[in-house]
Amino acid sequence: MTAKPPLTILLAAPRGFCAGVDRAIQIVEVALERYGAPVYVRHEIVHNRFVVESLEALGAIFVDELDEVPDGVPVVFSAHGVPKAVPAEAERRGLFYLDATCPLVSKVHRAAERHHVEGRQVVLIGHAGHPEVVGTMGQLPPGAVVLVETVEDVARIEVEDPENLAFATQTTLSVDETAGILAALQARFPAISSPRKEDICYATTNRQQAVKAIAPGVDAVLVLGAPNSSNSKRLVEVAKNAGCPRAQLVQRAADIDWTALSDIRRLGITAGASAPEVLVEEVIAAAKERFQVSVEQVRTATEDVVFKLPKALTEEDGAFRKAGVDA
């Protein structure tokens, strides 16, 4: 029997679930416990098929829009946030809804509203079509938010009044890439107002810093995450920019081409903010089938953030009864 080649795995920490994702998943789980199945969820609660399928097995039903939700059942809005038209429609129909929007995304929404009230047009740095961007732009009337995705976009955008602008960012962007876009914005519009606090969330920043710490010292980096997960895709980009061109996004162990990695001796592993730790453990187990593995954890920050669940799920007399009558 041929001896397995050695492999050192560097595990980035922090990695995986952030407080907003953890809260969103708990909202669905507790709603199922409290009200029974089915509980409807508008869009993927977080961008991870493993999480979605696990919740489906418990009785969650995922839909694209509210018109797919029948009367008399609870509905949960995803962690990415929704345009104002969505809760307005839920209220018009008398639906009981739970908003799982990450509190850090909600802060961006409130800041955009404040700027609008104070007469500023908002320039949003983000990715077109991403649910978080759709939700943020949907907080304000059409035209009140201008989206920029790249440095090149900054030179092209048209604004109503260069002296009355504010910027906001999607919470899951690359910190370094966003800095370049922001510099271009401030150069073109010196009067643009900044957020009171950085919009890119603590978890996104921490995971990118952890990847930067391991990338230069490994032969390849695997990022556990979904192809539609913004923060996971940014981790791949950050790893490549930090010195590991062989960085790739994988959803789970079964997706890994181990033949292409047969020559590696040092492997970095991290997980996007919506990827559960069980998927990391699955990859390590798969590696142990092929290599003599030693694991080292590289920690660059400690996280202790916890977000509370909605009151409807924590009060003894919840706001919804299974019969479909609001309490």
Side-chain angles (χ1 to χ4, degrees):
M1 183 177 176
T2 307
K4 295 177 184 176
L7 179 68
T8 299
I9 291 178
L10 297 188
L11 270 182
R15 63 181 176 276
F17 280 180
C18 61
V21 164
D22 201 38
R23 173 181 179 269
I25 294 168
Q26 281 189 60
I27 286 172
V28 180
E29 291 173 339
V30 175
L32 284 162
E33 290 172 9
R34 188 152 193 166
Y35 310 125
V39 168
Y40 279 71
V41 186
R42 183 187 177 276
H43 292 181
E44 290 187 339
I45 186 69
V46 297
H47 283 156
N48 189 275
R49 285 307 306 167
F50 181 89
V51 170
V52 168
E53 289 167 7
S54 299
L55 293 172
E56 284 176 334
L58 297 175
I61 297 176
F62 291 84
V63 297
D64 289 328
E65 297 299 342
L66 285 187
D67 59 14
E68 300 170 67
V69 179
D71 294 334
V73 295
V75 60
V76 180
F77 302 152
S78 81
H80 309 102
V82 296
K84 278 191 169 179
V86 174
E89 172 62 11
E91 288 171 11
R92 186 194 68 77
R93 286 184 53 194
L95 294 175
F96 170 69
Y97 64 87
L98 295 162
D99 189 353
T101 300
C102 172
L104 298 179
V105 174
S106 295
K107 279 187 178 180
V108 177
H109 291 181
R110 302 295 80 79
E113 288 178 324
R114 187 180 69 251
H115 288 307
H116 182 63
V117 167
E118 293 172 357
R120 300 184 193 95
Q121 191 175 21
V122 176
V123 179
L124 177 63
I125 304 171
H127 297 291
H130 188 279
E132 183 184 329
V133 167
V134 173
T136 299
M137 294 184 75
Q139 301 305 303
L140 301 181
V145 181
V146 178
L147 181 65
V148 297
E149 297 188 77
T150 64
V151 169
E152 291 72 27
D153 286 345
V154 175
R156 291 191 289 259
I157 61 170
E158 296 180 6
V159 299
E160 294 167 0
D161 180 359
E163 299 301 312
N164 274 303
L165 295 176
F167 78 86
T169 72
Q170 185 178 333
T171 63
T172 53
L173 299 179
S174 160
V175 174
D176 295 336
E177 185 181 350
T178 303
I181 298 172
L182 178 55
L185 268 177
Q186 291 172 324
R188 184 177 172 197
F189 306 112
I192 195 167
S193 294
S194 304
R196 291 174 181 170
K197 189 175 183 294
E198 176 64 66
D199 285 342
I200 296 176
C201 84
Y202 78 93
T204 297
T205 302
N206 288 348
R207 278 148 193 72
Q208 290 178 17
Q209 289 296 336
V211 163
K212 284 182 182 179
I214 65 171
V218 296
D219 304 311
V221 171
L222 296 178
V223 177
L224 275 294
N228 58 343
S229 166
S230 175
N231 77 85
S232 298
K233 290 193 289 187
R234 300 295 83 74
L235 287 173
V236 176
E237 294 168 3
V238 169
K240 289 179 177 179
N241 291 336
C244 186
R246 293 172 73 179
Q248 59 180 295
L249 183 68
V250 295
Q251 296 200 64
R252 55 190 312 176
D255 302 328
I256 298 170
D257 181 359
W258 290 104
T259 303
L261 297 175
S262 60
D263 63 322
I264 67 170
R265 294 298 172 260
R266 292 174 69 79
L267 174 65
I269 297 178
T270 188
S274 47
E277 183 66 12
V278 65
L279 300 184
V280 174
E281 294 167 357
E282 187 182 87
V283 170
I284 294 172
K288 286 180 176 177
E289 293 175 7
R290 298 162 175 84
F291 299 91
Q292 187 67 38
V293 172
S294 62
V295 179
E296 299 174 13
Q297 182 158 260
V298 179
R299 178 170 293 281
T300 55
T302 300
E303 296 176 351
D304 55 6
V305 178
V306 177
F307 294 132
K308 294 178 181 178
L309 296 181
K311 286 183 178 179
L313 294 178
T314 57
E315 293 173 347
E316 283 192 22
D317 183 20
F320 172 85
R321 292 202 173 94
K322 185 61 183 170
V325 179
D326 285 350

